[in-house]
Amino acid sequence: MATAEQPPPVSPIVLKSPVLLHNVLLPSILLIIALCIPSRSWVIPAIFLPAILTCHYNLLYTTSPNPSLGFAVGTYAALHTYTAFNLLIFTNPQCDFVRLKRGQPEEKGDRYPRHSLSERLGWVVELTQGLRGVGWNWQIRSVPPLHATEVNATSAKPFFRRRAIRMFWIWIYLDFLCLMMKDLDIGYYAPDGNAHENKPNAFAIYNSLFADPSRPQNYPPPKGFPDMPEEGLTRVVYQVLLRVMRTVLMGSAIYTTVNAPHTVLSIIAVSMGCVFGLGPENGWRRRWLDAKEWPDIFGGFREGHWGNGILGWWGTAWHGLFKNVFIAPAKFLTAKLNLRKDSAGAALINLTVPFLLSGGLHWAGCFTQSGGGWGTVRFFMLQPFGIAFERIVLRLYRRTGLRFPVFEKVCPYVWAFAWFMTVSGSFVDEYRYGGVWCVEPIPVGVSRMLYGEAKGEWWYWGHGQHGWAGWDESLGGWGIRL
């Protein structure tokens, strides 16, 4: 007797796009109101934190037809939750944070303005919106010094020249990546069942932290590449080389798509500073429109930030946009437990908590994008083990007293590269099946116009792509739905 077919798994996400003003901005407004109250009573977080968490819980069960915005919805919910706990529980902004004045010691900086609501509002808004703390005493990375003349319309040429050249190469590289991901190797980067093309039926590729992937992991080579050998060592080597190439391309795509909007925003902000002026030393325009307030988002290759192993990768090379909220709970725990900074307990907390929170943030993004996320959690929870192994080997090497300068310079690059190639499989799977690489990042390109299936076409936005936002007629017709 034939048995009925089992229905396919159903995604836990709700096919309802968030409304920008109500779902997204409301928790930010609540946090700003809470911080503007000049009191450190436990009543303030007791009132506002449940309301903020309720907003984000509801936000986690919305999504967007656009995969990038779908990922951003969950990422924002997690990030703002961490920020709320950081500012209402783990730290005391009224005592701990100072907005610095250039050229003056921290003691003369702007502390929490208790006696002026307008000044307090501006102070709080800048505190909550600055991810890396540029211009604050909690700045996560020292700002690379820029030449003092790069602050006005007549002498900002070096800043604009560097950023314009960078944006040009980003554009060229994104065009190449689109040719690979949307044409030559689309079967790998946009596999069947991805959330962009199959949103109502999208479901997690990893059902738990240690689950095997629920999709096949064998993909044909890209168009124009040699066919896959039938068997033997040649097949294994070819598979490894393809995986390395594909993972490198995806890693570079993430790097590029994070760098691009930061570069564009920095050009816009500094251009506004050139046009409208920077105003007085303590004005907001000098803190937001000055070239000095827009340091590079990633560490520098020339400075060696990328050659310090896994710990250096996460500590100085990667963007660090969320680093402050990742390390704040660890600092809070070590202080409450009265642990010395050099103790084993403090080292364990400082090593595990930030990666646990990072995994939670990426899980939330994948969850609202495609109902997934556990693959990204697995990737981040493996990082402490790699760093611990790295530290042990480095300590043993130093005890030998031997020194091989070339080895010490090259080995960290090789080790970090091999580590990420080994452990990143579940991470990149979540992105591929989430439909991230289906999004059209640039409106005009050359490579696909000349070589791709869309030969002869040059304008790409709007061709089978989900929009970014639209006006919402519900709730009185005053919301922008993502």
Side-chain angles (χ1 to χ4, degrees), residues 364-382:
C366 292
F367 182 80
T368 54
Q369 181 187 62
S370 61
W374 285 111
T376 60
V377 177
R378 179 193 300 184
F379 169 76
F380 285 105
M381 291 312 298
L382 287 173

Side-chain angles (χ1 to χ4, degrees), residues 151-152 271-280 285-286 289:
V151 296
N152 55 60
S271 297
M272 292 176 63
C274 293
V275 173
F276 300 108
L278 299 177
R285 286 184 294 178
R286 194 169 290 273
L289 307 183

